[in-house]
Amino acid sequence: MSLAVKSIRNLNGHSIGPYQIHAGKSVPIVKGGEQTKMEEGEFFAIETFASTGNSCFIWQGIDLSFERDGSW
């Protein structure tokens, strides 16, 4: 049995800043997303997310991200 793998449309890569893992700019993984330009000297996490189920992530009220200082 084989399953189709789809990109999860609403999860993106992101810019990275000093002591800030999620620094504000998004890097979409599907066509038609945000049009923000990457600039020289910026750093990004290029993250791809795939699923064999729904192609949209539904937040359940839990934020699993955190910053270096421990803030959410």
Side-chain angles (χ1 to χ4, degrees):
M1 177 171 134
S2 64
L3 299 171
V5 176
K6 299 175 262 185
S7 296
I8 299 178
R9 298 183 315 267
N10 63 335
L11 294 179
N12 299 314
H14 51 84
S15 57
I16 301 171
Y19 305 103
Q20 192 174 21
I21 295 171
H22 297 97
K25 288 187 178 180
S26 292
V27 180
I29 61 171
V30 295
K31 188 175 184 177
E34 188 175 320
Q35 299 298 313
T36 302
K37 303 261 187 219
M38 293 180 179
E39 309 218 7
E40 187 174 341
E42 292 181 317
F43 295 90
F44 290 85
I46 306 300
E47 300 176 295
T48 58
F49 301 91
S51 174
T52 57
N54 193 343
S55 62
C56 188
F57 182 78
I58 300 170
W59 294 100
Q60 299 291 322
I62 300 171
D63 186 356
L64 301 177
S65 63
F66 60 93
E67 302 299 336
R68 184 175 175 154
D69 67 0
S71 65
W72 293 90

